[in-house]
Amino acid sequence: MTAAHSTETAPQKLPLWRLILGIAVLGAMVTVLLSLAPVYLENYRLQQYLTQLARDPGFAATPDDALRREVQAKATALLLPLRLSDIQINRAEGGLKVQMAYAVGMNLGLYRVDLHFHPGVTAGPPHPTQ
């Protein structure tokens, strides 16, 4: 076979503008990820703190107000905007359930995003499944 009859085609080169655009998009995605990661990490630390707190034998006996203040103090130390009113405590059948809902506003240059978090923990007797 001659070169004129060959079915193979030469590989096409990627245009330089496409390569630059692709690298810019990937760079923007990495920048956004690195900007948001610290808030997610601090929320994870708050959740781990709650889990560890729930393992304490005296956790269920702690008064609601003291528990709210303790959790809110930890959130403040982690620079999370958790208010006392964001912490819900429910006691039922010997168990204790602590739930929170808060949002962190992040400004990403031209775009603002609110990240919503809902950490919580349940301690006490397990609830029967239906």
Side-chain angles (χ1 to χ4, degrees):
M1 279 188 149
T2 62
H5 293 82
S6 175
T7 58
E8 294 181 24
T9 58
Q12 294 181 336
K13 290 181 72 176
L14 185 65
L16 183 59
W17 69 270
R18 280 189 174 181
L19 180 62
I20 292 171
L21 183 62
I23 290 172
V25 168
L26 286 175
M29 290 173 63
V30 167
T31 301
V32 168
L33 177 68
L34 291 176
S35 298
L36 299 178
V39 177
Y40 280 96
L41 180 61
E42 296 308 323
N43 180 69
Y44 175 76
R45 288 181 177 156
L46 180 62
Q47 180 63 55
Q48 291 302 108
Y49 173 76
L50 288 172
T51 302
Q52 187 176 15
L53 195 62
R55 290 185 185 133
D56 184 343
F59 176 70
T62 306
D64 291 359
D65 288 338
L67 191 55
R68 276 190 186 91
R69 284 191 304 273
E70 185 173 349
V71 171
Q72 198 265 342
K74 180 63 174 181
T76 300
L78 295 172
L79 303 176
L80 295 173
L82 181 68
R83 299 171 302 195
L84 289 174
S85 61
D86 295 333
I87 304 169
Q88 302 299 318
I89 299 175
N90 298 317
R91 297 179 186 269
E93 301 174 15
L96 175 64
K97 188 173 189 176
V98 180
Q99 294 177 304
M100 289 155 258
Y102 66 95
V104 178
M106 300 289 296
N107 192 357
L108 302 175
L110 299 174
Y111 186 73
R112 180 172 168 79
V113 63
D114 290 330
L115 305 174
H116 296 267
F117 296 99
H118 303 278
V121 68
T122 302
H127 296 282
T129 57
Q130 296 179 2

